[in-house]
């Protein structure tokens, strides 16, 4: 547990310092809003650039490696939004052309290897669904890149266990985001007090990944001390 108080209060992603003494780091979560179509990507990047966010983030995965063939419904659901390595690179190149830092959540090890080794992303965002996947967390820590960890669906003890796993595997820069895995999230379920709870045991930057409609909850999270906002 002591290791959670040893993480630096400020981390660096690209040229940006992130922490309580710094401007809030804002991530435009494009996710799979491209719906698997390359033609939908330029408007997403343009909206992010015009919003003057600090980073653009998408997701990368290979459906056949992520979901068992037994679960045909989930395979079809994910495959319809899957894009290949070339499209992910196209997104990264388009962001670079627009002077927009590019981040990507990799949902399986092959996708992780691609975004780290081929695209050299400046930080790794871990989706909530991987928080309990300790082998995967260790592999991420071995990259020595800054890590942003989302926490939806998990208890405080599970969040602590994930952070300890990352620390023991060599992660030196970690931020933790409170997150509620409901789309959209009703305001009565937001519970921003979790930000305070995480701060009570973790010394690194704490933020909020938002799925509510509108911007009011993001402003409330910022007023509560969130140093990263993902929207």
């Amino acid at each position: 547990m002591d290791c959670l108080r040893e993480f630096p209060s400020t981390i660096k992603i690209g040229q940006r310092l992130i922490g309580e003494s710094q401007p809030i780091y804002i991530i435009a979560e494009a996710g799979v809003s491209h719906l698997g179509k390359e033609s939908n990507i330029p408007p997403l990047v343009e909206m992010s650039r015009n919003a003057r966010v600090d980073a653009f983030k998408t997701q990368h995965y290979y459906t056949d490696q992520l979901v068992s063939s037994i679960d045909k419904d989930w395979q079809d659901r994910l495959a319809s939004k899957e894009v290949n390595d070339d499209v992910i690179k196209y997104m990264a190149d388009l962001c670079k052309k627009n002077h927009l830092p590019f981040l990507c959540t990799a949902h399986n090890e092959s996708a992780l290897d691609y975004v780290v080794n081929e695209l050299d992303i400046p930080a790794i965002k871990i989706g909530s669904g991987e928080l309990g996947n300790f082998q995967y967390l260790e592999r991420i820590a071995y990259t020595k890149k800054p890590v942003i960890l989302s926490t939806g669906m998990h208890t405080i003890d599970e969040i602590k266990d994930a952070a300890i796993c990352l620390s023991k595997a060599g992660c030196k820069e970690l931020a933790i985001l409170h997150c509620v895995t409901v789309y959209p999230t009703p305001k009565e379920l937001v519970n921003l007090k979790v930000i305070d709870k995480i701060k009570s045991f973790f010394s690194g930057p704490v933020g909020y990944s938002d799925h509510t409609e509108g911007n009011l909850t993001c402003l409330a999270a910022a007023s509560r001390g969130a140093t990263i906002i993902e929207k």
Side-chain angles (χ1 to χ4, degrees), residues 27-172:
I27 301 171
E29 165 63 310
V32 291
S33 296
H34 50 67
L35 303 178
K37 297 180 180 179
E38 187 172 327
S39 60
N40 288 334
I41 293 171
L44 294 173
V45 173
E46 183 179 4
M47 284 190 289
S48 301
R49 182 197 64 201
N50 290 344
R52 299 171 65 184
V53 299
D54 295 294
F56 173 98
K57 192 188 81 68
T58 188
Q59 300 176 23
H60 192 28
Y61 57 87
Y62 311 119
T63 302
D64 60 347
Q65 296 180 25
L66 191 62
V67 181
S68 169
S69 59
I70 295 172
D71 197 334
K72 182 64 174 170
D73 288 343
W74 265 102
Q75 275 220 333
D76 291 346
R77 180 176 177 179
L78 292 179
S80 67
K81 301 176 182 67
E82 179 184 335
V83 294
N84 61 30
D85 293 347
D86 290 341
V87 175
I88 295 294
K89 185 178 187 305
Y90 167 68
M91 251 187 284
D93 290 344
L94 191 58
C95 284
K96 184 176 181 179
K97 182 178 179 181
N98 283 274
H99 308 288
L100 191 60
F102 177 79
L103 300 177
C104 184
T105 297
H107 289 290
N108 58 280
E109 293 184 2
S110 299
L112 176 68
D113 290 343
Y114 179 76
V115 298
V116 169
N117 298 326
E118 300 299 325
L119 301 183
D120 193 25
I121 55 175
I124 297 174
K125 168 68 193 300
I126 302 175
S128 297
E130 302 304 324
L131 187 143
N133 187 346
F134 296 121
Q135 181 177 332
Y136 188 61
L137 297 183
E138 289 173 352
R139 186 161 181 162
I140 288 171
Y142 296 156
T143 70
K144 306 300 182 184
K145 290 182 178 290
V147 172
I148 301 173
L149 176 68
S150 273
T151 60
M153 303 182 290
H154 293 278
T155 67
I156 291 296
D157 284 343
E158 288 169 339
I159 295 168
K160 290 177 181 177
D161 288 344
I164 290 170
C165 174
L166 287 164
S167 175
K168 288 182 175 179
C171 175
K172 301 299 183 185

Side-chain angles (χ1 to χ4, degrees), residues 12 127 225:
K12 189 174 185 181

